[in-house]
Amino acid sequence: MKRSLKPQYIAFIAGLIASAICAIFIVIVSQDFIYSFLGFMVTLTACYFIFYYLLKEFIYNRIKVIYKSIYRFKTQYSADLKKLDLKSQDPLERVSNEVVDWMKNNRDEVNQLKEQENYRREFLGNVSHELKTPIQSIQGYIHTLLDGALEDEKVNRLFLTKASNSTDRLIELVDDLTKISALEGKKIELNIEKFDLLVLCDEVLELVENKAKKKDTVIKYKGNPKTVMVEADRAKIRQVLVNLVVNALKYGKNRGVVLIGFYDMDKNILTEISDEGEGIAQEHIPRLFERFYRTDKGRSRDQGGSGLGLAIVKHILEAHKQTVNVRSTIGMGSTFGFSLKKG
């Protein structure tokens, strides 16, 4: 930024111009160079002090008041005003810099608010759609039963079963919303302990055994691990494993294989869960862990789930100060990996 002139320079230049005009006038009128020189010096001195006084008292001091107001508005703390250099010889430049900084900061804040507003609008739209689907399904089956299908033994149990399934999906969605609200709304309390991650994985595999059988999918470990000791919140890591394994089963191919691998990364243990599904396009990967984000919305909803599983995984691992990542190749499958502190 071009540096502005100080008030004394401005006063000197203004006085110099005025005194030069005065000296030229005296020379033209009196033809006396001595009087002209004396008039030049007197006018220069008088104009310098007059202009300097006017600049200081009526312009620069008022600019300093504006600068103080800007600074107070930015900091919101009167104690910070003690840091101001009220004797600065160039408050105009400081005000200019403050205004430019303020504009930049406010532009960033406005952009952030716009992004948050778009995110809020998208989130509300997703929540309403996810809730509407099972509710409409339940409503449709109940109305059909009330309209006479209740007496038809061929369809009444089928419709009640489907309504029950939609109710289960609705409960799952509400449960996941409650979980992610708790994870995002406050600091997560962790019960850190040492445990064998392999034993926990075995428990999770027993839990999802029926899901694997329905897709005729085999879940197995890569290599032949014996023990994998880590330090973490066992209950929350169980949730992470359940979400990732269910995700691999959901999007993996029928009669496929889901692989679970453990890797020693010095101070951490890296756990990877791989499927043999269709894979994920690269443009979707940065947003995979957002709430309700689906790469193929129609297909994803047909697969079930709340759309919050990966977001919950991300929040839990961030609470452990660890990371989760994904790599994927179209037509070959996807691999989700997360790290935990070695136990």
Side-chain angles (χ1 to χ4, degrees), residues 47-73:
C47 287
Y48 172 80
F49 285 108
I50 291 171
F51 286 140
Y52 183 73
Y53 175 79
L54 291 175
L55 286 170
K56 290 285 288 182
E57 293 301 321
F58 293 96
I59 297 178
Y60 270 66
N61 284 344
R62 295 172 187 241
I63 291 293
K64 285 182 178 179
V65 172
I66 297 173
Y67 174 69
K68 287 165 63 178
S69 299
I70 293 173
Y71 199 88
R72 183 183 295 110
F73 177 78

mmCIF file of all heavy atoms in Angstrom, residues 47-73:
data_model
loop_
_atom_site.group_PDB
_atom_site.id
_atom_site.type_symbol
_atom_site.label_atom_id
_atom_site.label_comp_id
_atom_site.label_asym_id
_atom_site.label_seq_id
_atom_site.Cartn_x
_atom_site.Cartn_y
_atom_site.Cartn_z
ATOM 1 N N CYS A 47 1.736 29.967 7.218
ATOM 2 C CA CYS A 47 0.876 28.950 6.595
ATOM 3 C C CYS A 47 1.190 27.553 7.122
ATOM 4 O O CYS A 47 0.283 26.727 7.296
ATOM 5 C CB CYS A 47 1.046 28.987 5.077
ATOM 6 S SG CYS A 47 0.269 30.426 4.289
ATOM 7 N N TYR A 48 2.486 27.286 7.358
ATOM 8 C CA TYR A 48 2.858 25.967 7.858
ATOM 9 C C TYR A 48 2.162 25.667 9.192
ATOM 10 O O TYR A 48 1.536 24.614 9.358
ATOM 11 C CB TYR A 48 4.373 25.872 8.025
ATOM 12 C CG TYR A 48 4.812 24.599 8.720
ATOM 13 C CD1 TYR A 48 4.895 23.401 8.013
ATOM 14 C CD2 TYR A 48 5.114 24.593 10.081
ATOM 15 C CE1 TYR A 48 5.275 22.228 8.642
ATOM 16 C CE2 TYR A 48 5.500 23.432 10.719
ATOM 17 C CZ TYR A 48 5.588 22.249 9.998
ATOM 18 O OH TYR A 48 5.957 21.090 10.631
ATOM 19 N N PHE A 49 2.273 26.618 10.148
ATOM 20 C CA PHE A 49 1.684 26.381 11.466
ATOM 21 C C PHE A 49 0.152 26.364 11.418
ATOM 22 O O PHE A 49 -0.490 25.583 12.126
ATOM 23 C CB PHE A 49 2.179 27.436 12.460
ATOM 24 C CG PHE A 49 3.598 27.222 12.899
ATOM 25 C CD1 PHE A 49 4.612 28.048 12.460
ATOM 26 C CD2 PHE A 49 3.923 26.162 13.751
ATOM 27 C CE1 PHE A 49 5.932 27.839 12.861
ATOM 28 C CE2 PHE A 49 5.231 25.951 14.150
ATOM 29 C CZ PHE A 49 6.231 26.774 13.706
ATOM 30 N N ILE A 50 -0.416 27.245 10.557
ATOM 31 C CA ILE A 50 -1.880 27.270 10.454
ATOM 32 C C ILE A 50 -2.397 25.954 9.876
ATOM 33 O O ILE A 50 -3.323 25.335 10.413
ATOM 34 C CB ILE A 50 -2.339 28.466 9.591
ATOM 35 C CG1 ILE A 50 -2.065 29.788 10.343
ATOM 36 C CG2 ILE A 50 -3.831 28.340 9.261
ATOM 37 C CD1 ILE A 50 -2.285 31.027 9.500
ATOM 38 N N PHE A 51 -1.779 25.537 8.761
ATOM 39 C CA PHE A 51 -2.231 24.287 8.123
ATOM 40 C C PHE A 51 -1.986 23.073 9.023
ATOM 41 O O PHE A 51 -2.808 22.157 9.097
ATOM 42 C CB PHE A 51 -1.519 24.088 6.790
ATOM 43 C CG PHE A 51 -2.027 24.995 5.696
ATOM 44 C CD1 PHE A 51 -1.147 25.577 4.789
ATOM 45 C CD2 PHE A 51 -3.377 25.271 5.555
ATOM 46 C CE1 PHE A 51 -1.606 26.398 3.778
ATOM 47 C CE2 PHE A 51 -3.830 26.098 4.546
ATOM 48 C CZ PHE A 51 -2.944 26.674 3.659
ATOM 49 N N TYR A 52 -0.829 23.094 9.695
ATOM 50 C CA TYR A 52 -0.515 21.964 10.571
ATOM 51 C C TYR A 52 -1.517 21.870 11.721
ATOM 52 O O TYR A 52 -1.991 20.784 12.081
ATOM 53 C CB TYR A 52 0.899 22.104 11.118
ATOM 54 C CG TYR A 52 1.347 20.939 11.976
ATOM 55 C CD1 TYR A 52 1.648 19.720 11.407
ATOM 56 C CD2 TYR A 52 1.439 21.075 13.359
ATOM 57 C CE1 TYR A 52 2.050 18.641 12.180
ATOM 58 C CE2 TYR A 52 1.833 20.000 14.149
ATOM 59 C CZ TYR A 52 2.140 18.789 13.559
ATOM 60 O OH TYR A 52 2.527 17.726 14.324
ATOM 61 N N TYR A 53 -1.859 23.025 12.311
ATOM 62 C CA TYR A 53 -2.830 23.060 13.401
ATOM 63 C C TYR A 53 -4.202 22.559 12.919
ATOM 64 O O TYR A 53 -4.861 21.763 13.602
ATOM 65 C CB TYR A 53 -2.946 24.486 13.941
ATOM 66 C CG TYR A 53 -4.020 24.641 14.996
ATOM 67 C CD1 TYR A 53 -3.805 24.239 16.307
ATOM 68 C CD2 TYR A 53 -5.273 25.183 14.651
ATOM 69 C CE1 TYR A 53 -4.806 24.366 17.262
ATOM 70 C CE2 TYR A 53 -6.269 25.307 15.601
ATOM 71 C CZ TYR A 53 -6.034 24.894 16.907
ATOM 72 O OH TYR A 53 -7.020 25.023 17.842
ATOM 73 N N LEU A 54 -4.625 23.043 11.752
ATOM 74 C CA LEU A 54 -5.926 22.636 11.229
ATOM 75 C C LEU A 54 -5.969 21.134 10.946
ATOM 76 O O LEU A 54 -6.960 20.460 11.251
ATOM 77 C CB LEU A 54 -6.239 23.421 9.952
ATOM 78 C CG LEU A 54 -6.508 24.916 10.137
ATOM 79 C CD1 LEU A 54 -6.677 25.597 8.783
ATOM 80 C CD2 LEU A 54 -7.761 25.146 10.984
ATOM 81 N N LEU A 55 -4.876 20.627 10.354
ATOM 82 C CA LEU A 55 -4.827 19.195 10.065
ATOM 83 C C LEU A 55 -4.883 18.362 11.340
ATOM 84 O O LEU A 55 -5.595 17.362 11.424
ATOM 85 C CB LEU A 55 -3.554 18.850 9.275
ATOM 86 C CG LEU A 55 -3.546 19.271 7.802
ATOM 87 C CD1 LEU A 55 -2.146 19.092 7.220
ATOM 88 C CD2 LEU A 55 -4.539 18.421 7.015
ATOM 89 N N LYS A 56 -4.111 18.787 12.336
ATOM 90 C CA LYS A 56 -4.046 18.023 13.580
ATOM 91 C C LYS A 56 -5.358 18.078 14.345
ATOM 92 O O LYS A 56 -5.864 17.054 14.805
ATOM 93 C CB LYS A 56 -2.915 18.541 14.475
ATOM 94 C CG LYS A 56 -1.525 18.233 13.961
ATOM 95 C CD LYS A 56 -1.173 16.773 14.188
ATOM 96 C CE LYS A 56 -0.926 16.491 15.653
ATOM 97 N NZ LYS A 56 -0.533 15.082 15.867
ATOM 98 N N GLU A 57 -5.914 19.269 14.486
ATOM 99 C CA GLU A 57 -7.060 19.454 15.359
ATOM 100 C C GLU A 57 -8.382 19.060 14.708
ATOM 101 O O GLU A 57 -9.242 18.490 15.361
ATOM 102 C CB GLU A 57 -7.140 20.921 15.834
ATOM 103 C CG GLU A 57 -5.992 21.324 16.739
ATOM 104 C CD GLU A 57 -5.923 20.472 17.995
ATOM 105 O OE1 GLU A 57 -6.985 20.145 18.546
ATOM 106 O OE2 GLU A 57 -4.801 20.142 18.413
ATOM 107 N N PHE A 58 -8.516 19.358 13.440
ATOM 108 C CA PHE A 58 -9.835 19.180 12.814
ATOM 109 C C PHE A 58 -9.929 17.936 11.919
ATOM 110 O O PHE A 58 -11.013 17.561 11.527
ATOM 111 C CB PHE A 58 -10.186 20.426 11.986
ATOM 112 C CG PHE A 58 -10.406 21.650 12.825
ATOM 113 C CD1 PHE A 58 -9.386 22.563 13.024
ATOM 114 C CD2 PHE A 58 -11.625 21.869 13.460
ATOM 115 C CE1 PHE A 58 -9.581 23.690 13.813
ATOM 116 C CE2 PHE A 58 -11.813 22.991 14.251
ATOM 117 C CZ PHE A 58 -10.791 23.910 14.430
ATOM 118 N N ILE A 59 -8.790 17.345 11.606
ATOM 119 C CA ILE A 59 -8.848 16.165 10.734
ATOM 120 C C ILE A 59 -8.243 14.957 11.424
ATOM 121 O O ILE A 59 -8.920 13.954 11.675
ATOM 122 C CB ILE A 59 -8.139 16.426 9.383
ATOM 123 C CG1 ILE A 59 -8.866 17.561 8.631
ATOM 124 C CG2 ILE A 59 -8.116 15.154 8.536
ATOM 125 C CD1 ILE A 59 -8.221 17.926 7.321
ATOM 126 N N TYR A 60 -6.974 15.009 11.781
ATOM 127 C CA TYR A 60 -6.284 13.830 12.287
ATOM 128 C C TYR A 60 -6.806 13.384 13.645
ATOM 129 O O TYR A 60 -6.929 12.193 13.908
ATOM 130 C CB TYR A 60 -4.772 14.100 12.349
ATOM 131 C CG TYR A 60 -4.076 13.731 11.066
ATOM 132 C CD1 TYR A 60 -4.340 14.430 9.900
ATOM 133 C CD2 TYR A 60 -3.189 12.662 10.998
ATOM 134 C CE1 TYR A 60 -3.724 14.100 8.713
ATOM 135 C CE2 TYR A 60 -2.577 12.317 9.817
ATOM 136 C CZ TYR A 60 -2.843 13.037 8.669
ATOM 137 O OH TYR A 60 -2.242 12.686 7.502
ATOM 138 N N ASN A 61 -7.114 14.344 14.532
ATOM 139 C CA ASN A 61 -7.656 13.949 15.830
ATOM 140 C C ASN A 61 -9.022 13.273 15.675
ATOM 141 O O ASN A 61 -9.366 12.372 16.433
ATOM 142 C CB ASN A 61 -7.768 15.171 16.747
ATOM 143 C CG ASN A 61 -6.400 15.581 17.287
ATOM 144 O OD1 ASN A 61 -5.444 14.798 17.223
ATOM 145 N ND2 ASN A 61 -6.289 16.792 17.803
ATOM 146 N N ARG A 62 -9.786 13.761 14.695
ATOM 147 C CA ARG A 62 -11.083 13.131 14.447
ATOM 148 C C ARG A 62 -10.905 11.744 13.832
ATOM 149 O O ARG A 62 -11.679 10.825 14.120
ATOM 150 C CB ARG A 62 -11.933 14.017 13.536
ATOM 151 C CG ARG A 62 -12.288 15.342 14.217
ATOM 152 C CD ARG A 62 -12.963 16.319 13.282
ATOM 153 N NE ARG A 62 -13.113 17.597 13.958
ATOM 154 C CZ ARG A 62 -14.270 18.181 14.195
ATOM 155 N NH1 ARG A 62 -15.391 17.579 13.853
ATOM 156 N NH2 ARG A 62 -14.332 19.346 14.799
ATOM 157 N N ILE A 63 -9.886 11.602 12.985
ATOM 158 C CA ILE A 63 -9.582 10.290 12.414
ATOM 159 C C ILE A 63 -9.188 9.315 13.524
ATOM 160 O O ILE A 63 -9.549 8.130 13.502
ATOM 161 C CB ILE A 63 -8.452 10.396 11.374
ATOM 162 C CG1 ILE A 63 -8.940 11.150 10.135
ATOM 163 C CG2 ILE A 63 -7.935 9.022 10.983
ATOM 164 C CD1 ILE A 63 -10.007 10.395 9.357
ATOM 165 N N LYS A 64 -8.459 9.802 14.505
ATOM 166 C CA LYS A 64 -8.053 8.932 15.622
ATOM 167 C C LYS A 64 -9.265 8.445 16.406
ATOM 168 O O LYS A 64 -9.299 7.299 16.884
ATOM 169 C CB LYS A 64 -7.091 9.689 16.548
ATOM 170 C CG LYS A 64 -5.693 9.829 15.968
ATOM 171 C CD LYS A 64 -4.769 10.546 16.936
ATOM 172 C CE LYS A 64 -3.359 10.645 16.362
ATOM 173 N NZ LYS A 64 -2.438 11.349 17.275
ATOM 174 N N VAL A 65 -10.265 9.320 16.551
ATOM 175 C CA VAL A 65 -11.491 8.901 17.236
ATOM 176 C C VAL A 65 -12.164 7.778 16.448
ATOM 177 O O VAL A 65 -12.626 6.773 17.013
ATOM 178 C CB VAL A 65 -12.450 10.100 17.399
ATOM 179 C CG1 VAL A 65 -13.798 9.625 17.932
ATOM 180 C CG2 VAL A 65 -11.841 11.132 18.328
ATOM 181 N N ILE A 66 -12.202 7.927 15.106
ATOM 182 C CA ILE A 66 -12.784 6.875 14.259
ATOM 183 C C ILE A 66 -11.977 5.593 14.396
ATOM 184 O O ILE A 66 -12.529 4.490 14.505
ATOM 185 C CB ILE A 66 -12.817 7.345 12.788
ATOM 186 C CG1 ILE A 66 -13.720 8.558 12.651
ATOM 187 C CG2 ILE A 66 -13.286 6.212 11.877
ATOM 188 C CD1 ILE A 66 -13.688 9.195 11.277
ATOM 189 N N TYR A 67 -10.654 5.724 14.405
ATOM 190 C CA TYR A 67 -9.780 4.553 14.529
ATOM 191 C C TYR A 67 -10.023 3.839 15.857
ATOM 192 O O TYR A 67 -10.098 2.609 15.916
ATOM 193 C CB TYR A 67 -8.326 5.008 14.418
ATOM 194 C CG TYR A 67 -7.332 3.904 14.664
ATOM 195 C CD1 TYR A 67 -7.195 2.860 13.769
ATOM 196 C CD2 TYR A 67 -6.540 3.907 15.818
ATOM 197 C CE1 TYR A 67 -6.289 1.850 13.994
ATOM 198 C CE2 TYR A 67 -5.636 2.896 16.055
ATOM 199 C CZ TYR A 67 -5.505 1.870 15.134
ATOM 200 O OH TYR A 67 -4.619 0.867 15.364
ATOM 201 N N LYS A 68 -10.165 4.615 16.931
ATOM 202 C CA LYS A 68 -10.436 4.019 18.237
ATOM 203 C C LYS A 68 -11.772 3.276 18.223
ATOM 204 O O LYS A 68 -11.891 2.187 18.794
ATOM 205 C CB LYS A 68 -10.449 5.107 19.316
ATOM 206 C CG LYS A 68 -9.058 5.654 19.644
ATOM 207 C CD LYS A 68 -9.136 6.947 20.429
ATOM 208 C CE LYS A 68 -9.795 6.743 21.768
ATOM 209 N NZ LYS A 68 -9.830 7.981 22.569
ATOM 210 N N SER A 69 -12.767 3.857 17.543
ATOM 211 C CA SER A 69 -14.076 3.207 17.479
ATOM 212 C C SER A 69 -13.991 1.893 16.705
ATOM 213 O O SER A 69 -14.583 0.886 17.103
ATOM 214 C CB SER A 69 -15.078 4.141 16.802
ATOM 215 O OG SER A 69 -15.222 5.332 17.551
ATOM 216 N N ILE A 70 -13.239 1.908 15.589
ATOM 217 C CA ILE A 70 -13.057 0.683 14.803
ATOM 218 C C ILE A 70 -12.355 -0.367 15.644
ATOM 219 O O ILE A 70 -12.748 -1.542 15.670
ATOM 220 C CB ILE A 70 -12.256 0.975 13.512
ATOM 221 C CG1 ILE A 70 -13.067 1.862 12.580
ATOM 222 C CG2 ILE A 70 -11.870 -0.324 12.803
ATOM 223 C CD1 ILE A 70 -12.282 2.343 11.370
ATOM 224 N N TYR A 71 -11.319 0.035 16.347
ATOM 225 C CA TYR A 71 -10.549 -0.914 17.145
ATOM 226 C C TYR A 71 -11.399 -1.492 18.270
ATOM 227 O O TYR A 71 -11.359 -2.691 18.552
ATOM 228 C CB TYR A 71 -9.319 -0.211 17.714
ATOM 229 C CG TYR A 71 -8.235 -1.159 18.165
ATOM 230 C CD1 TYR A 71 -7.268 -1.588 17.277
ATOM 231 C CD2 TYR A 71 -8.187 -1.622 19.468
ATOM 232 C CE1 TYR A 71 -6.260 -2.456 17.676
ATOM 233 C CE2 TYR A 71 -7.206 -2.496 19.885
ATOM 234 C CZ TYR A 71 -6.233 -2.900 18.978
ATOM 235 O OH TYR A 71 -5.261 -3.767 19.373
ATOM 236 N N ARG A 72 -12.211 -0.609 18.904
ATOM 237 C CA ARG A 72 -13.085 -1.074 19.984
ATOM 238 C C ARG A 72 -14.114 -2.060 19.438
ATOM 239 O O ARG A 72 -14.421 -3.076 20.056
ATOM 240 C CB ARG A 72 -13.792 0.110 20.643
ATOM 241 C CG ARG A 72 -14.660 -0.288 21.830
ATOM 242 C CD ARG A 72 -15.394 0.897 22.412
ATOM 243 N NE ARG A 72 -14.490 1.868 22.982
ATOM 244 C CZ ARG A 72 -14.258 3.068 22.466
ATOM 245 N NH1 ARG A 72 -14.862 3.440 21.351
ATOM 246 N NH2 ARG A 72 -13.416 3.902 23.026
ATOM 247 N N PHE A 73 -14.649 -1.769 18.255
ATOM 248 C CA PHE A 73 -15.638 -2.655 17.649
ATOM 249 C C PHE A 73 -15.035 -4.010 17.330
ATOM 250 O O PHE A 73 -15.671 -5.043 17.490
ATOM 251 C CB PHE A 73 -16.176 -2.018 16.370
ATOM 252 C CG PHE A 73 -17.150 -2.879 15.636
ATOM 253 C CD1 PHE A 73 -18.458 -2.990 16.071
ATOM 254 C CD2 PHE A 73 -16.759 -3.592 14.511
ATOM 255 C CE1 PHE A 73 -19.362 -3.798 15.403
ATOM 256 C CE2 PHE A 73 -17.651 -4.404 13.838
ATOM 257 C CZ PHE A 73 -18.964 -4.494 14.281
#
